[in-house]
């Protein structure tokens, strides 16, 4: 609760479309007395307190933010351009759900930042420690696989990072992946689907 600033003029939440995904901050958000704005590119899950901007035509929230900054004629310096580019790249599932707009925006951002894709990745990509990668591989081997509606579902307990296990499950062929971690006070879930699956069903 010490991290939550009650006297802020407004709260802007990115890449989230409901309070339920905010963990321990959910109750704090519900009590917050001022404006809450959510910006996301997924299907809207309505929270009565939040003003929501959601557009599924975009493949990443960072892409929406870039267009908003341009519409507001905000200054985008090299650091901000790099951050937005990283957001677009990471949220496009390594370009699996990329569109023409994705590459047009990245071209603009790379120009502003005087960089390129390889340089940006070398400067920002995090390579998990060997022990974490080992546990993620073990989590994948221990996972349950099922085929339903001609889709491969992979799910199970993750001992370290549920998001890494879910990401890697998709990379090696899963259509739908769900992993969870069990902490002292909560259970955290991380779910992924293969790009465009949601548009087929």
């Amino acid at each position: 609760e010490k991290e939550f600033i009650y006297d802020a003029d407004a709260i802007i939440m990115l890449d989230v479309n409901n309070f339920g995904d905010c963990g321990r901050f959910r109750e704090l958000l519900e009590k917050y007395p001022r404006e809450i704005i959510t910006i996301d590119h997924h299907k809207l899950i309505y929270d009565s307190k939040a003003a929501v901007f959601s557009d599924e035509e975009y493949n990443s929230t960072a892409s929406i933010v870039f267009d908003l900054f341009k519409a507001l004629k905000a200054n985008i310096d090299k650091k901000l351009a790099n951050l937005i580019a990283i957001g677009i790249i990471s949220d496009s599932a390594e370009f699996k759900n990329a569109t023409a707009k994705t590459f047009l925006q990245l071209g603009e951002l790379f120009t502003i930042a005087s960089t390129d894709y390889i340089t940006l990745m070398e400067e920002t990509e995090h390579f998990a420690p060997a022990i974490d990668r080992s546990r993620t591989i073990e989590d994948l081997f221990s996972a349950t696989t099922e085929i339903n509606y001609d889709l491969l579902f992979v799910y199970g307990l993750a001992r370290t990072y549920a998001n890494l296990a879910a990401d890697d499950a998709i990379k090696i062929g899963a259509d739908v992946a769900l992993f969870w971690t069990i902490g002292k006070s909560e259970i955290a879930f991380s779910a992924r689907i293969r790009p465009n699956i949601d548009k087929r069903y």
Side-chain angles (χ1 to χ4, degrees):
E1 189 166 345
K2 292 178 181 179
E3 302 170 37
F4 197 89
I5 303 174
Y6 274 101
D7 60 355
D9 293 329
I11 292 176
I12 300 176
M13 303 195 305
L14 301 176
D15 206 26
V16 62
N17 61 3
N18 67 93
F19 294 167
D21 289 342
C22 297
R24 64 189 180 89
F25 287 108
R26 177 176 184 169
E27 290 184 11
L28 300 175
L29 288 166
E30 290 172 345
K31 295 176 183 176
Y32 178 72
R34 296 185 176 87
E35 188 79 39
I36 298 176
I37 302 166
T38 68
I39 302 174
D40 195 26
H41 63 110
H42 294 295
K43 186 176 180 180
L44 172 64
I45 299 177
Y46 184 68
D47 272 309
S48 58
K49 283 200 62 174
V52 179
F53 181 90
S54 178
D55 191 338
E56 292 185 272
E57 293 300 314
Y58 286 85
N59 74 330
S60 74
T61 298
S63 183
I64 297 173
V65 169
F66 184 41
D67 272 357
L68 286 173
F69 275 28
K70 287 171 62 179
L72 294 169
K73 301 188 185 311
N75 178 50
I76 301 175
D77 59 17
K78 289 186 176 183
K79 183 177 181 180
L80 182 56
N82 276 330
L83 289 172
I84 295 173
I86 292 165
I88 292 173
I89 292 166
S90 64
D91 216 8
S92 67
E94 296 181 349
F95 302 121
K96 289 184 178 69
N97 63 3
T99 64
K101 188 177 190 69
T102 305
F103 297 106
L104 289 170
Q105 287 187 322
L106 286 176
E108 288 185 66
L109 291 162
F110 289 164
T111 300
I112 294 169
S114 300
T115 191
D116 55 56
Y117 177 75
I118 295 298
T119 302
L120 187 62
M121 290 298 95
E122 288 176 348
E123 291 175 350
T124 61
E125 196 166 26
H126 170 68
F127 201 57
I131 185 64
D132 291 342
R133 285 179 277 131
S134 171
R135 287 173 177 164
T136 297
I137 291 171
E138 290 173 1
D139 291 339
L140 290 172
F141 275 111
S142 302
T144 300
T145 61
E146 291 183 13
I147 297 175
N148 292 299
Y149 306 102
D150 200 32
L151 296 176
L152 175 59
F153 289 73
V154 179
Y155 57 91
L157 175 68
R159 291 180 299 160
T160 308
Y161 298 112
N163 62 320
L164 291 181
D167 286 340
D168 287 344
I170 295 296
K171 288 178 183 177
I172 62 175
D175 296 304
V176 181
L178 173 64
F179 285 83
W180 58 89
T181 55
I182 301 175
K184 292 181 179 179
S185 60
E186 65 180 12
I187 299 175
F189 291 90
S190 187
R192 300 286 188 274
I193 61 172
R194 185 162 54 82
N196 296 324
I197 287 291
D198 58 328
K199 294 179 174 62
R200 288 168 45 190
Y201 293 87

